[in-house]
């Protein structure tokens, strides 16, 4: 118990002590939107397009942002007066973190900035917030866990080949490095078109043409990062590919063995294989959330994959309240897709989530500031969250849930849908 108390105190203290360079960078990048403006000046166009794009014409991304922006909170003053900004430390699945903010799993962040996976992992470790490595990332499970030993989570896609041989070996590796949480992603049943990614010549493989090489040459900071870290690749999957496979051969190997959404029988098998906390990412319907909880899933991760799969899906923040109503007392509720600020995190908490995760904004941050980008963004999120809570009169994360909220996009589910 004393060790838990010490960890909690350290986490609470961390939330009041941003990085020494925070003040300097805050003047130049006071919100994540400023990081997004700067990133294209430092990374090749194809890199930025890959990280920033969504499905189709990016309507899903805009819908996610607009859904958050449409949520308004009525502050309460005088009743709960305090001069102190509220603490942000939170317990998720038995581990105390400095804030209810996490780094979402991202496929190929090292294409946006070579080495981005480890930069994000190290920043999360320093800040004590959850870091989730995607198996489609540019670092191995072992490398990422070494960089973020206290906050490391792992995300899996469905590797159906040979009765999930690779998938269950990934579970073994996650156990071996002490991953805090295992996440199965459900919301990529098929591959869809991302138009900006396709136009940038990244739809099927990484094979730089003359235009891409020129874009790299005129971005010297990115090029130096590439020389240090090498071409992006599915690092965790590479050890299963034939020896000597290059980047494109590894991509082809992974795609031939990966695909489809986990069915409920498969979820049960992974639940049996993993004894630690497990979440399902991509749940958008309360009945699906109820099925997951009934089979022992610990966390429901509400997500529409950041608008990167299809434009027609409801924004995750609009689906959140119905899922909270259905299983919020039985499972930890997480959310991503459209989170750009600590104010968005506050909105998610007010609607019942225990934590909110961001992906794209960390790619903007690493593109804008390189090594220091992820750490600055985490500090920015925590600072914005604390000030947002204080501004609405909430003295704690729990009190955010007492806020009076207008949520015009809230989805009303017919239980027969």
């Amino acid at each position: 118990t004393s060790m838990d108390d010490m960890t909690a105190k350290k986490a609470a203290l961390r939330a009041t002590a941003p990085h020494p360079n925070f003040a300097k960078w805050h003047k130049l990048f006071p919100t994540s939107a400023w990081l997004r403006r700067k990133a294209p000046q430092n990374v090749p166009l194809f890199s930025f397009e890959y990280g920033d794009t969504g499905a189709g014409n990016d309507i899903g991304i805009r819908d996610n942002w607009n859904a958050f922006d449409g949520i308004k909170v009525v502050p309460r003053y005088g009743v709960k007066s305090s001069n102190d900004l509220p603490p942000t430390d939170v317990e998720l699945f038995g581990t105390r973190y400095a804030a209810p903010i996490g780094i979402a799993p991202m496929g190929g962040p090292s294409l946006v900035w070579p080495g981005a996976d480890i930069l994000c992992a190290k920043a999360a470790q320093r800040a004590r917030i959850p870091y989730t490595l995607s198996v489609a990332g540019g670092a191995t499970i072992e490398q990422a866990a070494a960089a973020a030993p206290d906050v490391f989570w792992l995300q899996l896609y469905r590797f159906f080949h040979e009765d999930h041989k690779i998938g269950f070996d990934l579970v073994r590796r996650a156990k071996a490095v002490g991953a805090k949480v295992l996440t199965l992603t459900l919301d990529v049943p098929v591959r869809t078109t991302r138009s900006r990614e396709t136009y940038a010549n990244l739809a099927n493989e990484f094979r730089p043409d003359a235009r891409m090489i020129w874009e790299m040459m005129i971005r010297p900071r990115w090029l130096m990062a590439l020389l240090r870290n090498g071409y992006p690749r599915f690092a965790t999957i590479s050890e299963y590919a034939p020896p000597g496979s290059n980047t494109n051969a590894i991509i082809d190997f992974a795609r031939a063995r990966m695909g489809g959404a986990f069915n409920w029988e498969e979820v049960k098998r992974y639940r049996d294989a993993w004894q630690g906390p497990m979440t399902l990412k991509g749940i958008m319907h309360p009945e699906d959330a109820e099925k997951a909880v009934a089979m022992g899933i610990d966390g429901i991760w509400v997500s529409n994959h950041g608008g990167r799969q299809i434009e027609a899906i409801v924004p995750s923040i609009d689906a959140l309240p119905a899922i909270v109503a259905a299983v919020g007392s039985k499972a930890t509720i997480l959310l991503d897709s459209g989170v750009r600020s600590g104010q968005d995190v506050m909105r998610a908490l007010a609607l019942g989530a225990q934590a909110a995760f961001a992906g794209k904004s960390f790619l903007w941050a690493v593109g804008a500031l390189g090594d220091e980008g992820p750490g600055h963004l985490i500090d920015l999120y925590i600072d914005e969250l604390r000030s947002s809570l204080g501004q609405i009169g909430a003295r704690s994360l729990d009190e955010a849930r007492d806020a009076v909220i207008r949520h015009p996009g809230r989805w009303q589910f017919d239980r027969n849908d």
Side-chain angles (χ1 to χ4, degrees):
T1 303
S2 59
M3 185 62 70
D4 290 342
D5 290 343
M6 290 174 60
T7 302
K9 289 177 181 178
K10 287 181 180 178
L13 178 62
R14 166 63 195 82
T16 67
H19 191 277
N21 286 336
F22 177 67
K24 177 180 75 172
W25 292 127
H26 191 253
K27 293 178 182 179
L28 298 174
F29 305 103
T31 71
S32 69
W34 293 78
L35 294 165
R36 186 180 185 231
R37 294 188 189 107
K38 179 65 176 179
Q41 300 175 34
N42 292 332
V43 303
L45 177 62
F46 69 84
S47 294
F48 181 77
E49 295 290 72
Y50 172 79
D52 193 63
T53 190
N57 295 308
D58 290 347
I59 292 171
I61 292 177
R62 293 199 298 272
D63 284 351
N64 283 333
W65 293 352
N66 291 338
F68 268 105
D69 292 340
I71 297 168
K72 305 301 179 185
V73 180
V74 180
R76 300 300 303 273
Y77 299 128
V79 178
K80 301 174 181 178
S81 179
S82 173
N83 293 325
D84 297 326
L85 290 174
T88 60
D89 56 296
V90 64
E91 184 175 304
L92 300 171
F93 308 111
T95 298
R96 178 67 56 173
Y97 297 96
I101 299 161
I103 301 180
M106 293 173 278
S110 291
L111 182 59
V112 177
W113 188 270
D117 302 82
I118 297 301
L119 292 177
C120 288
K122 288 180 176 179
Q125 175 69 17
R126 180 191 71 83
R128 294 194 65 84
I129 68 165
Y131 167 74
T132 316
L133 175 73
S134 169
V135 293
T140 67
I141 292 172
E142 293 75 18
Q143 289 169 336
D150 300 314
V151 298
F152 177 68
W153 299 17
L154 179 67
Q155 172 268 345
L156 296 185
Y157 286 114
R158 179 178 180 266
F159 286 88
F160 60 88
H161 191 72
E162 294 185 51
D163 195 32
H164 296 260
K165 179 180 178 180
I166 292 177
F168 286 115
D169 193 61
L170 293 169
V171 171
R172 176 193 62 79
R173 292 169 66 183
K175 289 179 182 177
V177 299
K180 301 294 184 183
V181 177
L182 182 71
T183 293
L184 304 185
T185 289
L186 305 183
D187 58 3
V188 189
V190 297
R191 182 170 174 80
T192 56
T193 298
R194 299 168 190 158
S195 59
R196 288 160 60 195
E197 180 183 289
T198 299
Y199 185 76
N201 198 30
L202 293 171
N204 297 308
E205 58 186 6
F206 184 68
R207 194 180 301 280
D209 58 16
R211 181 187 67 183
M212 296 166 70
I213 292 172
W214 171 248
E215 291 172 6
M216 289 189 277
M217 296 300 293
I218 61 175
R219 296 291 183 258
R221 290 183 62 199
W222 188 94
L223 191 59
M224 289 301 296
L226 178 67
L227 294 174
R228 289 195 304 269
N229 296 285
Y231 277 119
R233 55 197 287 135
F234 288 169
T236 286
I237 307 304
S238 63
E239 75 169 55
Y240 303 107
S245 296
N246 62 20
T247 297
N248 289 322
I250 294 170
I251 292 173
D252 291 341
F253 173 87
R255 287 180 177 170
R257 288 154 180 80
M258 179 176 69
F262 291 96
N263 61 46
W264 292 114
E265 179 184 354
E266 292 168 340
V267 170
K268 175 81 166 54
R269 292 178 63 193
Y270 279 87
R271 172 69 282 180
D272 292 342
W274 175 259
Q275 286 72 51
M278 178 181 285
T279 74
L280 294 189
K281 184 175 183 294
I283 296 288
M284 295 290 282
H285 196 291
E287 290 183 4
D288 292 338
E290 290 170 341
K291 286 181 182 178
V293 171
M295 64 174 54
I297 297 301
D298 305 284
I300 302 300
W301 193 323
V302 185
S303 171
N304 68 13
H305 214 80
R308 286 174 69 83
Q309 285 302 108
I310 184 172
E311 297 169 301
I313 292 180
V314 59
S316 60
I317 193 68
D318 288 346
L320 175 65
I323 291 176
V324 170
V327 299
S329 63
K330 304 172 185 176
T332 298
I333 310 298
L334 311 174
L335 175 135
D336 71 25
S337 304
V339 176
R340 298 154 294 161
S341 67
Q343 185 171 252
D344 287 342
V345 175
M346 180 268 290
R347 287 164 162 145
L349 297 177
L351 292 173
Q354 273 79 58
F357 286 65
K360 285 187 184 68
S361 57
F362 281 95
L363 298 182
W364 305 336
V366 77
L369 286 172
D371 293 7
E372 293 195 54
H376 173 63
L377 183 61
I378 293 169
D379 288 337
L380 196 60
Y381 271 127
I382 292 175
D383 183 69
E384 291 170 341
L385 173 60
R386 299 183 80 218
S387 61
S388 295
L389 291 170
Q391 188 63 39
I392 67 170
R395 296 173 299 179
S396 68
L397 300 180
D398 287 338
E399 287 188 4
R401 297 179 177 88
D402 298 330
V404 177
I405 304 167
R406 186 187 73 178
H407 184 184
R410 181 187 302 246
W411 199 267
Q412 301 295 331
F413 286 87
D414 180 339
R415 298 310 292 247
N416 295 318
D417 284 348

